[in-house]
Amino acid sequence: MQELKNSLLELITDTSTNLPPDVRAAIREAKEKENAGTRSALALSTISNNIRMAEENVSPICQDTGMPTFHIHVPVGVNQMTITRAIREAIVEATRTGKLRPNSVDSLTGENSGDNLGEGVPVIHYEQWERDEIEVRLILKGGGCENKNIQYSLPCELEGLGRAGRDLDGIRKCILHSVHQAQGQGCSAGFIGVGIGGDRTTGYELAKKQLFRRADDTNPHPDLARLETYIMEKANELSIGTMGFGGNTTLLGCKIGSMHRIPASFYVSVAYNCWAFRRQGVTLDPKTGSITSWLYKEEPSQVKVREREPAAAAEGASGTREVVLTPPISEEAIRDLKVGDVVVLNGLIHTGRDALHKHLIDHDSPVDLQGSVIYHCGPVMLKDENGNWTVKAAGPTTSIREEPYQADIIGKFGIRAVIGKGGMGARTLAGLQEHGAVYLNAIGGAAQYYADCITGVEGVDFLEFGVPEAMWHLRVKNFAAIVTMDAHGNSLHRDVEKTALEKLAQFKEPVFR
Ligand SMILES: O=C(O)C[C@H](O)C(=O)O
Ligand code: SF4
């Protein structure tokens, strides 16, 4: 098995940097459905560029390279411990070369192991089979969409949909609700895997297993096939759209599996995966460990591929105002901004996410933040041989996690803009109004696109928090993001959620009897 580690490294690298054709086709279709000049069309254009850049640069599509999760089939007699050792070596190597972000954090001490290894990380499931080849499937599922997974215990009451009973119609309601509760926070448009039945653990496992199905397959079970088709149609009428900007595509794929349960329990478990759906697989020669085939490389047959770029997403949103700003930004410039404006930033910005926000509540900042821009981002960084840092990937992280801190931090330090994704809540909105600040929504997952806007790394503080959580001081050029919450009490996120809830309520009546 001398080739095993190299094969696994190739699999990890390809998974992180190159989306499979079925996922690309779903995104391409979504792009064709959006109207020219809309925010969703613009976001999908950025996403498509990002996918291309990641492949060309052989760099992570999204900076959050997620929880590496392997599903492996082995012929009888193959040593699983040899495979586990090779996976661990390949993971360390992929982290060292910037194909994976160091993502494994000790839950008690907060320490980042730095090499993506740790208790329970990576996740590896083995199963024996009677074929004489090894099959390795891998998903890199990021944290923002993982946080939007949801498990329902039937019967239950669902906002907008009323009672969900222990039958196919109750299941239908849970799945629709799961898409609504995710809004744009899991980097919609997303893919969902659904597990019906099992217990709390196996239900989620079944849901995640569905994510290994190709986006263009058909469920062999007629009821589940019907339900998948129904969900795809109705979830896309919720108008949540790409990144929760509103729009025609909210869901790119829905795959449902079912298993037995015990009489008292009836779970519907939903695994939500962002558009950056990094899934790949290989078969390996059990003697040499070399790759014999790739599992998700063929183009889907039923999706037509257009020759030229559709007019829809070609250029910037029509009628939007573009405002160029350089920090430190004045309160006046900020109060002039309205939801829908595109802000183009030049100059110095600072990253800060969970650890930094918690820290700043009762500590000083190492740099003056008056008039500054904070970027909710945990980048992939590499140090070169001269000790200089380079940015390998740098998209936004989900902002809502900072909701308990954000308004206070803005007030305490005089921050004028926060860049993130998915939007923030009522407390932050009030804080923006009170202190004169805005929330700027960047396109989640577009880590190559934003890394390209970073012209220099001017320093770093709190590296002891780990690479993703450190405070990186980044010089940017033409960094564009949309104002989705302004200093006048307006929030696009609040509006989209309200509309989506009204639309969800239209699906209250029974459909599957
Ligand atoms: O950790 C990150 O960089 C992002 C995360 O996947 C998120 O979606 O919030
Ligand atoms: S930032 Fe968005 S695209 Fe990246 S892993 Fe998180 S949810 Fe997925």
Side-chain angles (χ1 to χ4, degrees), residues 19-34 40 43-45 47-48 51 187-192 213-217 232 236 241-242 248-255 273-279 296 298-306 310:
L19 282 187
D22 60 313
V23 173
R24 288 178 186 239
I27 294 171
R28 202 160 49 223
E29 260 198 301
K31 201 171 148 201
E32 288 174 10
K33 284 190 194 134
E34 295 298 347
S40 271
L44 282 162
S45 224
I47 285 170
S48 303
I51 294 169
C187 291
S188 58
F191 296 80
I192 52 172
R213 286 172 51 194
R214 281 177 57 116
D216 56 328
D217 75 358
M232 283 305 289
N236 281 314
T242 308
N248 299 327
T249 303
T250 299
L251 196 61
L252 296 169
C254 171
K255 303 290 157 191
N273 207 108
C274 48
W275 67 260
F277 185 12
R278 288 152 288 172
R279 144 177 52 64
Y296 298 102
E298 330 84 75
E299 288 285 339
S301 50
Q302 65 258 54
V303 177
K304 58 180 184 336
V305 181
R306 286 216 182 164

Side-chain angles (χ1 to χ4, degrees), residues 50 61-66 101 140-148 184-188 243 272-278 395-398 401 421 443-447:
N50 186 72
I61 291 161
C62 175
Q63 77 290 336
D64 184 2
T65 54
R101 184 177 72 184
L140 299 173
K141 186 172 185 296
C145 60
E146 182 69 9
N147 292 347
K148 298 320 291 186
Q185 288 167 8
C187 291
S188 58
M243 297 315 299
Y272 189 98
N273 207 108
C274 48
W275 67 260
F277 185 12
R278 288 152 288 172
T397 189
T398 319
R401 294 194 308 271
K421 57 113 171 164
I443 312 301

Side-chain angles (χ1 to χ4, degrees), residues 17 25 49 172 214 221 290 340 367 436:
T17 62
N49 283 338
R172 169 191 76 87
R214 281 177 57 116
H221 191 294
S290 56
V367 295

Side-chain angles (χ1 to χ4, degrees), residues 159-161 176 180 238 500-508:
E159 191 188 16
L161 292 166
L176 279 177
H180 177 263
L238 294 176
L501 185 60
E502 283 160 20
K503 300 210 168 180
L504 186 69
Q506 293 172 6
F507 307 124
K508 195 171 178 173

Side-chain angles (χ1 to χ4, degrees), residues 64-379:
D64 184 2
T65 54
M67 176 66 94
T69 305
F70 294 86
H71 278 246
I72 303 174
H73 280 94
V74 287
V76 177
V78 164
N79 186 340
Q80 297 178 5
M81 287 174 293
T82 306
I83 301 178
T84 298
R85 271 194 295 273
I87 287 178
R88 292 171 70 87
E89 282 173 29
I91 290 263
V92 171
E93 180 72 7
T95 310
R96 197 183 60 74
T97 52
K99 309 302 177 194
L100 295 178
R101 184 177 72 184
N103 247 8
S104 176
V105 180
D106 184 314
S107 296
L108 298 181
T109 64
E111 195 181 330
N112 191 315
S113 71
D115 61 4
N116 264 313
L117 300 181
E119 274 308 315
V121 182
V123 176
I124 310 174
H125 299 282
Y126 285 102
E127 229 176 287
Q128 272 193 341
W129 66 0
E130 290 185 325
R131 280 164 48 185
D132 59 4
E133 60 188 356
I134 302 170
E135 184 191 84
V136 184
R137 293 177 194 245
L138 169 63
I139 283 186
L140 299 173
K141 186 172 185 296
C145 60
E146 182 69 9
N147 292 347
K148 298 320 291 186
N149 292 357
I150 187 163
Q151 190 167 57
Y152 301 90
S153 175
L154 290 174
C156 61
E157 259 320 288
L158 297 171
E159 191 188 16
L161 292 166
R163 187 169 53 239
R166 290 186 153 195
D167 52 24
L168 202 55
D169 205 63
I171 295 165
R172 169 191 76 87
K173 287 188 177 181
C174 292
I175 304 174
L176 279 177
H177 184 271
S178 76
V179 178
H180 177 263
Q181 61 86 41
Q183 291 292 305
Q185 288 167 8
C187 291
S188 58
F191 296 80
I192 52 172
V194 182
I196 302 168
D199 60 18
R200 287 206 184 267
T201 308
T202 58
Y204 262 135
E205 270 169 12
L206 181 64
K208 288 202 168 179
K209 236 180 181 169
Q210 302 308 305
L211 294 175
F212 284 103
R213 286 172 51 194
R214 281 177 57 116
D216 56 328
D217 75 358
T218 304
N219 198 314
H221 191 294
D223 281 345
L224 297 184
R226 209 154 53 96
L227 188 55
E228 287 177 2
T229 307
Y230 169 91
I231 295 289
M232 283 305 289
E233 193 185 314
K234 302 302 180 202
N236 281 314
E237 290 175 17
L238 294 176
S239 300
I240 296 166
T242 308
M243 297 315 299
F245 288 167
N248 299 327
T249 303
T250 299
L251 196 61
L252 296 169
C254 171
K255 303 290 157 191
I256 308 173
S258 170
M259 72 202 305
H260 281 59
R261 59 183 177 83
I262 52 175
S265 305
F266 197 138
Y267 298 113
V268 178
S269 312
V270 183
Y272 189 98
N273 207 108
C274 48
W275 67 260
F277 185 12
R278 288 152 288 172
R279 144 177 52 64
Q280 197 42 266
V282 287
T283 53
L284 302 174
D285 181 323
K287 289 200 184 61
T288 63
S290 56
I291 295 174
T292 45
S293 69
W294 288 84
L295 299 179
Y296 298 102
K297 290 281 189 192
E298 330 84 75
E299 288 285 339
S301 50
Q302 65 258 54
V303 177
K304 58 180 184 336
V305 181
R306 286 216 182 164
E307 288 294 312
R308 61 179 179 83
E309 284 280 285
E315 268 318 312
S318 57
T320 49
R321 189 169 67 127
E322 204 174 276
V323 181
V324 181
L325 294 173
T326 303
I329 306 170
S330 71
E331 180 171 353
E332 194 190 0
I334 289 297
R335 293 216 183 261
D336 184 50
L337 295 170
K338 300 259 164 10
V339 163
D341 289 344
V342 172
V343 167
V344 178
L345 289 165
N346 293 313
L348 201 58
I349 67 173
H350 315 275
T351 69
R353 49 180 292 170
D354 310 71
L356 185 80
H357 281 74
K358 181 168 177 283
H359 179 86
L360 288 182
I361 282 291
D362 39 32
H363 293 85
D364 264 350
S365 166
V367 295
D368 182 8
L369 292 176
Q370 196 62 44
S372 68
V373 178
I374 290 286
Y375 184 20
H376 294 161
C377 168

